Amino acid sequence: MTHPNLTIVDHPLVQHKLTLMRHRETSTAGFRRLLREISLLLAYEVTRDLPLMTSEIETPMEPMQAPLLEGKKLALISILRAGNGLLDGVLELIPAARVGFVGLYRNEETLQPVQYYCKLPAALDERITIAVDPMLATGNSSVAAIDLLKEAGAKDIRFLCLLAAPEGVARMAEAHPDVPVITAALDRGLNEHGYILPGLGDAGDRMFGTK
Ligand code: URA
């Protein structure tokens, strides 16, 4: 099953930066810089349909009715720890957004998510909620994170990632068909350890230099 709501951001700048990130030789500093740049571009796509209102303003020339964001509050939810790499760039573009964190680690034997932290903004039911995690691999932790957000009342949820595997996309579509997935690329599949192929390796290790 493919996701009815999958968007692949095929902008040349996104694709170029993603290729540089995939290189095994790219340094931690380079990876982090590219992730920041690419997250700004992905943030542009994930916010494409935010509601606008018009406001009367005065330009130096004359008054006009000009578009402004309607002010529907946004919540960004970082799925720890790799989500923080995407969060920084998105937050730069939407500095007024509230921020939450969901801590899940993957049991390397079962590949199932185990929750160790959850701190969410209030009134999620009134917000547009953007969950960020660079890698949609098996989909297990992403689906568990979205489960938590829905339990907390979130209704309008989007999932932003850098790379997705068909398995994760299908899992998300099955569990949360109402949650659009925005990604820079849909890769071939997963290896036996649940890593994306060709992928870019462990996103957390690469951005934090922990390997
Ligand atoms: N998490 C990662 O960091 N990389 C993968 O390929 C899969 C999950």
mmCIF file of all heavy atoms in Angstrom, residues 74-95:
data_model
loop_
_atom_site.group_PDB
_atom_site.id
_atom_site.type_symbol
_atom_site.label_atom_id
_atom_site.label_comp_id
_atom_site.label_asym_id
_atom_site.label_seq_id
_atom_site.Cartn_x
_atom_site.Cartn_y
_atom_site.Cartn_z
ATOM 1 N N LEU A 74 0.730 26.669 15.705
ATOM 2 C CA LEU A 74 1.469 25.504 15.220
ATOM 3 C C LEU A 74 2.200 24.830 16.366
ATOM 4 O O LEU A 74 2.701 25.504 17.277
ATOM 5 C CB LEU A 74 2.507 25.945 14.190
ATOM 6 C CG LEU A 74 1.954 26.204 12.788
ATOM 7 C CD1 LEU A 74 2.909 27.071 12.011
ATOM 8 C CD2 LEU A 74 1.737 24.900 12.065
ATOM 9 N N ALA A 75 2.276 23.525 16.289
ATOM 10 C CA ALA A 75 3.106 22.771 17.238
ATOM 11 C C ALA A 75 4.068 21.910 16.429
ATOM 12 O O ALA A 75 3.662 21.237 15.484
ATOM 13 C CB ALA A 75 2.233 21.894 18.128
ATOM 14 N N LEU A 76 5.340 21.981 16.795
ATOM 15 C CA LEU A 76 6.345 21.125 16.181
ATOM 16 C C LEU A 76 6.715 20.059 17.191
ATOM 17 O O LEU A 76 7.023 20.385 18.344
ATOM 18 C CB LEU A 76 7.596 21.930 15.817
ATOM 19 C CG LEU A 76 7.369 23.131 14.909
ATOM 20 C CD1 LEU A 76 8.676 23.893 14.719
ATOM 21 C CD2 LEU A 76 6.815 22.670 13.570
ATOM 22 N N ILE A 77 6.677 18.822 16.776
ATOM 23 C CA ILE A 77 7.006 17.737 17.701
ATOM 24 C C ILE A 77 8.231 17.003 17.165
ATOM 25 O O ILE A 77 8.190 16.410 16.080
ATOM 26 C CB ILE A 77 5.833 16.732 17.834
ATOM 27 C CG1 ILE A 77 4.512 17.463 18.134
ATOM 28 C CG2 ILE A 77 6.167 15.690 18.904
ATOM 29 C CD1 ILE A 77 4.453 18.248 19.417
ATOM 30 N N SER A 78 9.297 17.074 17.936
ATOM 31 C CA SER A 78 10.519 16.385 17.539
ATOM 32 C C SER A 78 10.509 14.975 18.121
ATOM 33 O O SER A 78 10.320 14.795 19.327
ATOM 34 C CB SER A 78 11.725 17.157 18.073
ATOM 35 O OG SER A 78 12.885 16.387 17.908
ATOM 36 N N ILE A 79 10.713 14.014 17.254
ATOM 37 C CA ILE A 79 10.831 12.637 17.728
ATOM 38 C C ILE A 79 12.321 12.399 17.980
ATOM 39 O O ILE A 79 13.136 12.425 17.050
ATOM 40 C CB ILE A 79 10.224 11.656 16.703
ATOM 41 C CG1 ILE A 79 8.746 12.043 16.474
ATOM 42 C CG2 ILE A 79 10.351 10.219 17.197
ATOM 43 C CD1 ILE A 79 8.039 11.284 15.390
ATOM 44 N N LEU A 80 12.646 12.292 19.262
ATOM 45 C CA LEU A 80 14.053 12.244 19.686
ATOM 46 C C LEU A 80 14.712 10.960 19.214
ATOM 47 O O LEU A 80 14.047 9.942 19.104
ATOM 48 C CB LEU A 80 14.127 12.342 21.217
ATOM 49 C CG LEU A 80 13.579 13.642 21.810
ATOM 50 C CD1 LEU A 80 13.537 13.559 23.330
ATOM 51 C CD2 LEU A 80 14.397 14.827 21.362
ATOM 52 N N ARG A 81 16.035 11.047 19.003
ATOM 53 C CA ARG A 81 16.795 12.267 19.113
ATOM 54 C C ARG A 81 17.024 12.945 17.769
ATOM 55 O O ARG A 81 17.272 14.149 17.697
ATOM 56 C CB ARG A 81 18.157 11.949 19.750
ATOM 57 C CG ARG A 81 19.043 11.135 18.818
ATOM 58 C CD ARG A 81 20.380 10.795 19.444
ATOM 59 N NE ARG A 81 20.907 9.707 18.646
ATOM 60 C CZ ARG A 81 22.178 9.479 18.396
ATOM 61 N NH1 ARG A 81 23.079 10.253 18.942
ATOM 62 N NH2 ARG A 81 22.556 8.479 17.664
ATOM 63 N N ALA A 82 16.891 12.131 16.691
ATOM 64 C CA ALA A 82 17.244 12.659 15.372
ATOM 65 C C ALA A 82 16.296 13.770 14.922
ATOM 66 O O ALA A 82 16.667 14.616 14.116
ATOM 67 C CB ALA A 82 17.283 11.530 14.350
ATOM 68 N N GLY A 83 15.074 13.781 15.468
ATOM 69 C CA GLY A 83 14.119 14.821 15.090
ATOM 70 C C GLY A 83 14.652 16.213 15.353
ATOM 71 O O GLY A 83 14.295 17.170 14.658
ATOM 72 N N ASN A 84 15.533 16.341 16.359
ATOM 73 C CA ASN A 84 16.041 17.668 16.701
ATOM 74 C C ASN A 84 16.810 18.317 15.556
ATOM 75 O O ASN A 84 16.836 19.538 15.442
ATOM 76 C CB ASN A 84 16.940 17.593 17.944
ATOM 77 C CG ASN A 84 16.117 17.484 19.207
ATOM 78 O OD1 ASN A 84 14.893 17.367 19.143
ATOM 79 N ND2 ASN A 84 16.770 17.508 20.351
ATOM 80 N N GLY A 85 17.413 17.491 14.717
ATOM 81 C CA GLY A 85 18.152 18.038 13.582
ATOM 82 C C GLY A 85 17.224 18.730 12.594
ATOM 83 O O GLY A 85 17.568 19.763 12.026
ATOM 84 N N LEU A 86 16.042 18.160 12.375
ATOM 85 C CA LEU A 86 15.059 18.784 11.488
ATOM 86 C C LEU A 86 14.370 19.955 12.181
ATOM 87 O O LEU A 86 14.046 20.956 11.559
ATOM 88 C CB LEU A 86 13.980 17.769 11.096
ATOM 89 C CG LEU A 86 14.151 16.925 9.832
ATOM 90 C CD1 LEU A 86 12.913 16.069 9.613
ATOM 91 C CD2 LEU A 86 14.386 17.809 8.620
ATOM 92 N N LEU A 87 14.163 19.793 13.478
ATOM 93 C CA LEU A 87 13.428 20.804 14.247
ATOM 94 C C LEU A 87 14.066 22.188 14.122
ATOM 95 O O LEU A 87 13.368 23.173 13.901
ATOM 96 C CB LEU A 87 13.400 20.377 15.723
ATOM 97 C CG LEU A 87 12.793 21.369 16.702
ATOM 98 C CD1 LEU A 87 11.289 21.462 16.488
ATOM 99 C CD2 LEU A 87 13.093 20.943 18.144
ATOM 100 N N ASP A 88 15.389 22.255 14.253
ATOM 101 C CA ASP A 88 16.073 23.551 14.263
ATOM 102 C C ASP A 88 15.732 24.397 13.045
ATOM 103 O O ASP A 88 15.399 25.576 13.161
ATOM 104 C CB ASP A 88 17.594 23.353 14.317
ATOM 105 C CG ASP A 88 18.045 22.885 15.683
ATOM 106 O OD1 ASP A 88 17.225 22.932 16.615
ATOM 107 O OD2 ASP A 88 19.212 22.464 15.802
ATOM 108 N N GLY A 89 15.813 23.779 11.869
ATOM 109 C CA GLY A 89 15.556 24.518 10.641
ATOM 110 C C GLY A 89 14.096 24.935 10.540
ATOM 111 O O GLY A 89 13.786 26.066 10.152
ATOM 112 N N VAL A 90 13.199 24.022 10.895
ATOM 113 C CA VAL A 90 11.764 24.330 10.783
ATOM 114 C C VAL A 90 11.417 25.472 11.748
ATOM 115 O O VAL A 90 10.676 26.397 11.412
ATOM 116 C CB VAL A 90 10.903 23.087 11.070
ATOM 117 C CG1 VAL A 90 9.422 23.415 10.921
ATOM 118 C CG2 VAL A 90 11.267 21.943 10.137
ATOM 119 N N LEU A 91 12.023 25.425 12.921
ATOM 120 C CA LEU A 91 11.758 26.449 13.941
ATOM 121 C C LEU A 91 12.275 27.812 13.499
ATOM 122 O O LEU A 91 11.715 28.842 13.860
ATOM 123 C CB LEU A 91 12.429 26.014 15.248
ATOM 124 C CG LEU A 91 11.861 26.497 16.565
ATOM 125 C CD1 LEU A 91 10.363 26.391 16.640
ATOM 126 C CD2 LEU A 91 12.510 25.732 17.703
ATOM 127 N N GLU A 92 13.321 27.801 12.705
ATOM 128 C CA GLU A 92 13.858 29.066 12.197
ATOM 129 C C GLU A 92 12.822 29.760 11.313
ATOM 130 O O GLU A 92 12.684 30.972 11.331
ATOM 131 C CB GLU A 92 15.123 28.772 11.396
ATOM 132 C CG GLU A 92 16.027 29.971 11.265
ATOM 133 C CD GLU A 92 17.399 29.553 10.814
ATOM 134 O OE1 GLU A 92 18.016 28.696 11.480
ATOM 135 O OE2 GLU A 92 17.841 30.053 9.784
ATOM 136 N N LEU A 93 12.077 28.942 10.569
ATOM 137 C CA LEU A 93 11.068 29.493 9.663
ATOM 138 C C LEU A 93 9.770 29.819 10.399
ATOM 139 O O LEU A 93 9.025 30.705 9.990
ATOM 140 C CB LEU A 93 10.781 28.454 8.564
ATOM 141 C CG LEU A 93 10.547 28.959 7.165
ATOM 142 C CD1 LEU A 93 11.719 29.790 6.685
ATOM 143 C CD2 LEU A 93 10.329 27.789 6.209
ATOM 144 N N ILE A 94 9.495 29.083 11.474
ATOM 145 C CA ILE A 94 8.242 29.290 12.232
ATOM 146 C C ILE A 94 8.612 29.504 13.701
ATOM 147 O O ILE A 94 8.334 28.655 14.553
ATOM 148 C CB ILE A 94 7.302 28.059 12.111
ATOM 149 C CG1 ILE A 94 7.316 27.461 10.708
ATOM 150 C CG2 ILE A 94 5.880 28.412 12.524
ATOM 151 C CD1 ILE A 94 6.631 26.106 10.618
ATOM 152 N N PRO A 95 9.214 30.641 14.023
ATOM 153 C CA PRO A 95 9.780 30.801 15.374
ATOM 154 C C PRO A 95 8.733 30.837 16.485
ATOM 155 O O PRO A 95 9.072 30.586 17.641
ATOM 156 C CB PRO A 95 10.550 32.130 15.294
ATOM 157 C CG PRO A 95 10.098 32.802 14.057
ATOM 158 C CD PRO A 95 9.503 31.793 13.151
#
